[in-house]
Amino acid sequence: MKQILVTGSEGQVGRAIQEISSEWSFRFLFTHRRNLDITDAKRIQEYFEEHRIDFVINCAAYTKVDVAEEEQDQARLINTDAVRSLSQACAKANIPFIHISSDYVYHPDHDQIMDEDEKTNPQGVYAQTKLDGDLEALRNNPKTIILRTSWVYAKKGKNFVNTIARLVDEKEQLSIVHDQIGSPSYAPDIAQAILKMVRTIDQHQVQEQYHGIYHFSNEGFISWYQFAQEIVRLKGSTCQLNPCTTEDYPTPAKRPLNSRLSKSKIQKTFNIELRPWKERLEKCLTD
């Protein structure tokens, strides 16, 4: 039975993988910063020597987008340097490395749907460190898969859904940005997609065809305002939502106006089903 190392196991996607791990015929090593400091390259190598590892799924990330503008060293340590160390350890062990990345690496100047060959244009420290981590992984380990997601949320953790669900119970009205367009990604669906990818790779002798960059999110393009509207509807809240522009709501780090990701590559390559965003949001709030 293959053994999978999952770093960042206390994050949204890491927890989601833990919750479904018993459904899969793999053994899992779930780590977090207290039992495996991925910013320590020597400790990573020691961990690899102590355990038999067949796949690595890196769910760890520095995700405080605005704070990263001040905590640049910490963001780079986790999003870039740690990814380099993990990918190098995977290369030495000759095993696949699956790394979760972000739509922030693109920041295009158009409103078209983007495939994996879209030109990158990171704006801000978070975006740059995420892109640099992607490049380090691809450069250091030919058996790398980069999974770029957008608007990740889960029933637990700090995310847009939980924040809005709380605020609509506290406020009479809220202003929500309506000119940033993308797709939500429900963390349990990301977890299922990743493990399907692992299973497919494990079942095939010729694995090179699976390596590279992929997009994943739930189906449908919406604005944050539309996302909030559906949260209000599902909660039966009377909170009034007011649309505003990105310019009306300035933040230390720039947000991409267009996060429309094409998911056709992951669908065709791994036969992964995309679930509608409304259906998955309802499940999250019901759970």
Side-chain angles (χ1 to χ4, degrees):
M1 186 180 292
K2 294 299 174 67
Q3 187 152 263
I4 303 172
L5 169 62
V6 180
T7 59
S9 64
E10 293 186 343
Q12 294 185 118
V13 178
R15 282 199 302 265
I17 294 175
Q18 289 193 68
E19 290 171 0
I20 64 172
S21 60
S22 62
E23 303 170 10
W24 294 81
S25 57
F26 301 118
R27 291 193 181 95
F28 291 88
L29 298 167
F30 291 106
T31 66
H32 44 76
R33 69 184 67 182
R34 294 186 300 280
N35 62 3
L36 177 59
D37 181 1
I38 62 171
T39 66
D40 185 340
K42 181 180 178 182
R43 178 62 190 126
I44 290 174
Q45 196 55 54
E46 291 173 349
Y47 194 92
F48 271 67
E49 293 169 358
E50 294 164 2
H51 300 84
R52 179 183 60 80
I53 301 172
D54 299 294
F55 287 85
V56 172
I57 302 171
N58 181 34
C59 301
Y62 181 103
T63 58
K64 295 178 286 187
V65 175
D66 289 325
V67 181
E69 296 300 311
E70 298 296 330
E71 296 183 353
Q72 297 186 23
D73 291 344
Q74 185 67 10
R76 180 160 298 280
L77 192 63
I78 298 170
N79 290 346
T80 304
D81 298 346
V83 176
R84 179 193 304 116
S85 298
L86 284 168
S87 62
Q88 288 174 339
C90 289
K92 185 175 180 180
N94 194 29
I95 62 173
F97 177 53
I98 300 176
H99 173 62
I100 301 174
S101 186
S102 171
D103 59 303
Y104 272 66
V105 303
Y106 294 120
H107 207 105
D109 58 2
H110 60 75
D111 60 2
Q112 304 302 307
I113 298 174
M114 299 176 287
D115 63 20
E116 288 79 1
D117 293 325
E118 178 72 24
K119 180 181 178 182
T120 54
N121 181 34
Q123 303 290 308
V125 173
Y126 168 75
Q128 186 65 60
T129 58
K130 288 299 290 182
L131 176 59
D132 290 346
D134 293 359
L135 297 176
E136 287 287 352
L138 292 167
R139 181 183 303 118
N140 284 291
N141 185 6
K143 294 185 176 182
T144 287
I145 288 178
I146 303 294
L147 188 65
R148 289 174 176 163
T149 63
S150 58
W151 301 15
V152 179
Y153 71 98
K155 59 187 177 183
K156 294 182 180 180
K158 186 176 181 181
N159 57 61
F160 181 81
V161 172
N162 290 338
T163 298
I164 297 300
R166 172 178 56 83
L167 289 177
V168 297
D169 288 338
E170 300 173 356
K171 307 285 186 179
E172 293 185 358
Q173 56 181 312
L174 292 171
S175 294
I176 308 292
V177 171
H178 75 88
D179 58 351
Q180 297 174 21
I181 309 298
S183 303
S185 301
Y186 187 38
D189 293 342
I190 300 174
Q192 288 280 3
I194 289 173
L195 294 184
K196 287 181 180 178
M197 296 168 86
V198 171
R199 183 177 62 190
T200 300
I201 294 169
D202 185 43
Q203 290 174 343
H204 289 79
Q205 294 296 321
V206 181
Q207 299 179 352
E208 288 78 5
Q209 60 184 308
Y210 299 114
H211 306 143
I213 301 171
Y214 295 86
H215 294 161
F216 180 85
S217 66
N218 290 124
E219 196 72 288
F221 298 128
I222 57 171
S223 67
W224 289 110
Y225 175 72
Q226 290 170 306
F227 201 12
Q229 281 184 310
E230 188 64 10
I231 296 169
V232 167
R233 186 188 73 80
L234 290 170
K235 285 182 59 67
S237 171
T238 58
C239 180
Q240 178 182 327
L241 299 180
N242 303 311
C244 68
T245 67
T246 299
E247 288 186 354
D248 294 332
Y249 190 75
T251 55
K254 293 181 67 175
R255 268 64 173 171
L257 297 179
N258 178 18
S259 292
R260 299 172 177 88
L261 303 179
S262 168
K263 281 83 70 172
S264 60
K265 182 179 177 181
I266 197 170
Q267 287 177 290
K268 294 175 182 176
T269 306
F270 293 100
N271 194 30
I272 288 175
E273 176 187 4
L274 300 180
R275 310 292 287 277
W277 72 268
K278 280 189 178 182
E279 170 194 307
R280 306 314 284 161
L281 174 62
E282 183 172 3
K283 177 170 177 53
C284 178
L285 291 179
T286 301
D287 290 345

Coordinates of all heavy atoms in Angstrom, one line a residue, residues 4-11 13-15 17 29-33 35-36 38 44 47-48 56-61 86 97-100:
I4 N 1.4 8.2 1.7 CA 1.4 9.6 1.2 C 1.6 10.5 2.4 O 1.0 10.5 3.4 CB 0.0 9.9 0.6 CG1 -0.4 9.0 -0.5 CG2 -0.1 11.4 0.2 CD1 -1.8 9.1 -1.0
L5 N 2.6 11.4 2.2 CA 2.9 12.5 3.2 C 2.0 13.7 2.8 O 2.1 14.2 1.7 CB 4.4 12.9 3.1 CG 4.8 14.1 3.9 CD1 4.4 14.0 5.4 CD2 6.2 14.5 3.7
V6 N 1.2 14.2 3.8 CA 0.4 15.4 3.6 C 0.9 16.4 4.6 O 0.7 16.3 5.8 CB -1.1 15.1 3.8 CG1 -1.9 16.3 3.6 CG2 -1.6 13.9 2.9
T7 N 1.5 17.5 4.0 CA 2.0 18.6 4.9 C 0.8 19.6 5.0 O -0.1 19.7 4.1 CB 3.2 19.2 4.3 OG1 2.9 19.7 3.0 CG2 4.3 18.2 4.2
G8 N 0.9 20.4 6.0 CA -0.2 21.4 6.2 C -1.5 20.8 6.5 O -2.5 21.2 6.0
S9 N -1.5 19.7 7.3 CA -2.7 18.9 7.5 C -3.8 19.6 8.3 O -4.9 19.0 8.5 CB -2.3 17.5 8.1 OG -1.8 17.7 9.4
E10 N -3.4 20.7 9.0 CA -4.4 21.4 9.8 C -5.1 22.6 9.0 O -5.9 23.3 9.5 CB -3.8 21.9 11.1 CG -3.4 20.8 12.0 CD -2.9 21.2 13.3 OE1 -2.5 22.4 13.5 OE2 -2.8 20.4 14.3
G11 N -4.7 22.8 7.7 CA -5.3 23.8 6.9 C -6.6 23.2 6.3 O -7.0 22.1 6.6
V13 N -7.6 22.3 3.2 CA -7.5 21.1 2.3 C -6.9 20.0 3.1 O -7.3 18.8 2.9 CB -6.7 21.5 1.0 CG1 -6.6 20.2 0.2 CG2 -7.3 22.6 0.3
G14 N -5.9 20.2 3.9 CA -5.3 19.2 4.7 C -6.3 18.5 5.6 O -6.4 17.2 5.6
R15 N -7.2 19.2 6.2 CA -8.2 18.6 7.1 C -9.2 17.8 6.2 O -9.7 16.8 6.6 CB -9.0 19.7 7.8 CG -8.2 20.2 9.1 CD -9.1 21.0 10.0 NE -9.9 22.1 9.4 CZ -9.5 23.3 9.4 NH1 -8.3 23.6 10.0 NH2 -10.1 24.3 8.8
I17 N -8.6 16.3 3.4 CA -8.0 15.0 3.1 C -8.1 14.0 4.3 O -8.3 12.8 4.1 CB -6.5 15.2 2.6 CG1 -6.5 16.0 1.3 CG2 -5.8 13.8 2.4 CD1 -5.1 16.3 0.8
L29 N 0.5 10.0 6.1 CA 1.3 10.6 7.2 C 0.9 12.1 7.2 O 1.2 12.8 6.3 CB 2.8 10.5 6.9 CG 3.4 9.1 6.8 CD1 4.8 9.2 6.2 CD2 3.5 8.5 8.2
F30 N 0.1 12.5 8.2 CA -0.4 13.8 8.2 C 0.5 14.6 9.2 O 0.7 14.3 10.3 CB -1.8 13.9 8.8 CG -2.8 13.3 7.8 CD1 -3.4 12.0 8.0 CD2 -3.2 14.0 6.7 CE1 -4.3 11.5 7.1 CE2 -4.1 13.5 5.8 CZ -4.7 12.2 6.0
T31 N 1.1 15.7 8.6 CA 2.0 16.5 9.4 C 1.6 18.0 9.4 O 0.8 18.4 8.6 CB 3.5 16.4 8.9 OG1 3.5 17.0 7.6 CG2 3.9 15.0 8.8
H32 N 2.0 18.7 10.5 CA 1.8 20.1 10.6 C 3.1 20.7 11.2 O 4.1 20.0 11.4 CB 0.6 20.3 11.5 CG 0.6 19.5 12.7 ND1 1.4 19.7 13.8 CD2 -0.1 18.3 13.0 CE1 1.2 18.8 14.8 NE2 0.3 17.9 14.3
R33 N 3.0 22.0 11.5 CA 4.3 22.6 11.8 C 4.9 22.1 13.1 O 6.1 22.3 13.3 CB 4.0 24.2 12.0 CG 3.2 24.6 13.1 CD 2.9 26.0 13.1 NE 2.0 26.4 12.0 CZ 1.7 27.7 11.7 NH1 2.1 28.7 12.5 NH2 0.9 27.9 10.7
N35 N 5.1 18.9 14.1 CA 5.8 17.6 14.0 C 6.6 17.5 12.7 O 7.4 16.5 12.6 CB 4.8 16.4 14.1 CG 3.8 16.4 13.0 OD1 3.8 17.2 12.1 ND2 2.9 15.4 13.1
L36 N 6.5 18.5 11.9 CA 7.4 18.6 10.7 C 7.5 20.0 10.2 O 6.6 20.5 9.6 CB 7.0 17.7 9.5 CG 7.9 17.8 8.3 CD1 9.3 17.4 8.6 CD2 7.3 16.9 7.2
I38 N 8.5 22.4 7.8 CA 8.9 22.3 6.4 C 9.8 23.5 6.0 O 10.3 23.5 4.9 CB 7.7 22.2 5.4 CG1 6.8 23.5 5.5 CG2 6.9 21.0 5.7 CD1 5.7 23.5 4.4
I44 N 13.4 18.1 6.9 CA 12.6 17.4 5.8 C 13.4 16.2 5.4 O 12.8 15.1 5.2 CB 12.4 18.3 4.7 CG1 11.4 19.4 5.0 CG2 11.9 17.6 3.4 CD1 11.2 20.5 4.0
Y47 N 13.2 13.4 7.9 CA 11.8 12.8 7.9 C 11.7 11.8 6.7 O 11.2 10.7 6.9 CB 10.8 13.9 7.8 CG 9.4 13.4 8.1 CD1 8.9 13.5 9.4 CD2 8.6 12.9 7.1 CE1 7.6 13.0 9.7 CE2 7.3 12.4 7.4 CZ 6.8 12.5 8.7 OH 5.5 12.0 9.0
F48 N 12.2 12.2 5.6 CA 12.2 11.3 4.4 C 13.0 10.0 4.7 O 12.7 8.9 4.3 CB 12.7 12.0 3.2 CG 11.7 12.7 2.4 CD1 11.0 13.8 2.9 CD2 11.3 12.2 1.1 CE1 10.0 14.4 2.2 CE2 10.3 12.9 0.4 CZ 9.7 14.0 0.9
V56 N 4.0 13.0 -2.1 CA 3.9 14.1 -1.2 C 2.8 15.1 -1.7 O 2.8 15.4 -2.9 CB 5.2 14.9 -1.0 CG1 5.0 16.2 -0.2 CG2 6.2 14.0 -0.3
I57 N 1.9 15.5 -0.8 CA 0.8 16.5 -1.1 C 1.1 17.6 -0.2 O 0.9 17.5 1.0 CB -0.6 15.9 -0.9 CG1 -0.8 14.7 -1.8 CG2 -1.6 17.0 -1.2 CD1 -2.1 14.0 -1.4
N58 N 1.5 18.8 -0.7 CA 1.8 19.9 0.1 C 0.6 20.9 0.2 O 0.3 21.6 -0.8 CB 3.0 20.7 -0.5 CG 3.4 21.9 0.4 OD1 3.2 21.8 1.6 ND2 3.8 23.0 -0.2
C59 N -0.1 20.8 1.3 CA -1.2 21.7 1.6 C -0.8 22.9 2.4 O -1.7 23.7 2.7 CB -2.3 20.9 2.3 SG -2.9 19.5 1.4
A60 N 0.5 23.0 2.8 CA 0.9 24.1 3.7 C 1.1 25.3 2.8 O 1.6 25.3 1.7 CB 2.2 23.7 4.3
A61 N 0.7 26.5 3.4 CA 0.9 27.8 2.7 C 0.7 28.9 3.6 O 0.0 28.8 4.6 CB -0.1 27.9 1.5
L86 N 10.9 20.7 -0.2 CA 10.1 19.6 -0.3 C 10.3 19.0 -1.7 O 10.4 17.7 -1.9 CB 8.6 19.9 -0.1 CG 8.2 20.1 1.3 CD1 6.8 20.8 1.4 CD2 8.2 18.8 2.1
F97 N 5.5 15.0 -6.5 CA 5.2 16.1 -5.6 C 4.0 16.8 -6.1 O 4.0 17.4 -7.2 CB 6.4 17.0 -5.5 CG 6.3 18.2 -4.6 CD1 5.8 18.1 -3.3 CD2 6.5 19.5 -5.1 CE1 5.7 19.2 -2.5 CE2 6.4 20.6 -4.3 CZ 6.0 20.4 -3.0
I98 N 2.9 16.9 -5.3 CA 1.7 17.6 -5.6 C 1.6 18.8 -4.7 O 1.6 18.7 -3.5 CB 0.5 16.7 -5.5 CG1 0.6 15.5 -6.4 CG2 -0.8 17.5 -5.8 CD1 -0.6 14.5 -6.2
H99 N 1.6 20.0 -5.4 CA 1.6 21.3 -4.6 C 0.4 22.1 -5.0 O 0.1 22.3 -6.2 CB 2.9 22.0 -5.0 CG 3.0 23.4 -4.5 ND1 3.0 23.6 -3.1 CD2 3.1 24.6 -5.1 CE1 3.1 25.0 -2.9 NE2 3.2 25.5 -4.1
I100 N -0.3 22.6 -4.0 CA -1.4 23.5 -4.2 C -1.0 24.9 -4.3 O -0.3 25.5 -3.5 CB -2.4 23.3 -3.0 CG1 -2.9 21.9 -2.9 CG2 -3.6 24.2 -3.2 CD1 -3.8 21.6 -1.7

